[in-house]
Amino acid sequence: QVQLVESGGGLVQAGGSLRLSCAGSGRTFVTFTMAWFRQAPGKEREFVAATTWSGPSTYYADSVKGRVTISRDNAKNGAVLQMNSLKPEDTALYYCAAGRVIGGYATSQRDSYTYWGQGTQVTVSS
């Protein structure tokens, strides 16, 4: 069974940091584009960051650029999302995703990602 499992979420005060981890199993994701999305209550799931397998190159949503860093964790067959200077508006369920993107690009398009985790909750208090 192919799985992506997120961890590292929690409750943090505004200005704090969290490190989210995604571990894959059931197949290798080393040559996949890896990404993080998030979904706040009552809102659609939105793109946060992505990293390619080659390079690697990265791509960030404007809302998190400069505060968030995505990196691959090939030892865990997944990815890491380091989040700093957190804001209350960052509160959401964070999902890890993996996909074989044509051209190997880091894309924000949800339908480019085949595998999804169950999510880890991030809550930022003001």
Side-chain angles (χ1 to χ4, degrees), residues 18-98:
L18 281 175
R19 181 179 173 88
L20 306 185
S21 182
C22 172
S25 61
R27 70 164 301 149
T28 179
F29 292 106
V30 172
T31 59
F32 279 56
T33 295
M34 303 294 296
W36 288 90
F37 287 76
R38 67 186 183 186
Q39 188 167 17
K43 295 187 177 181
E44 290 194 359
R45 192 171 300 188
E46 66 174 4
F47 171 76
V48 176
T51 179
T52 62
W53 67 270
S54 177
S57 64
T58 55
Y59 177 43
Y60 297 94
D62 288 342
S63 59
V64 301
K65 201 173 293 182
R67 301 187 296 119
V68 164
T69 302
I70 186 171
S71 58
R72 305 194 69 93
D73 185 349
N74 289 335
K76 291 187 176 181
N77 196 27
V80 170
L81 188 72
Q82 177 66 45
M83 301 191 295
N84 301 320
S85 302
L86 283 163
K87 304 175 181 180
E89 51 263 45
D90 293 318
T91 295
L93 190 60
Y94 282 70
Y95 296 92
C96 177

Side-chain angles (χ1 to χ4, degrees), residues 1 4 7 10 13 36 50 54 64 69 80 100 105 109:
Q1 183 181 1
L4 292 172
S7 61
Q13 288 188 331
W36 288 90
S54 177
V64 301
T69 302
V80 170
R100 281 195 183 278
Y105 299 112
Q109 299 302 308

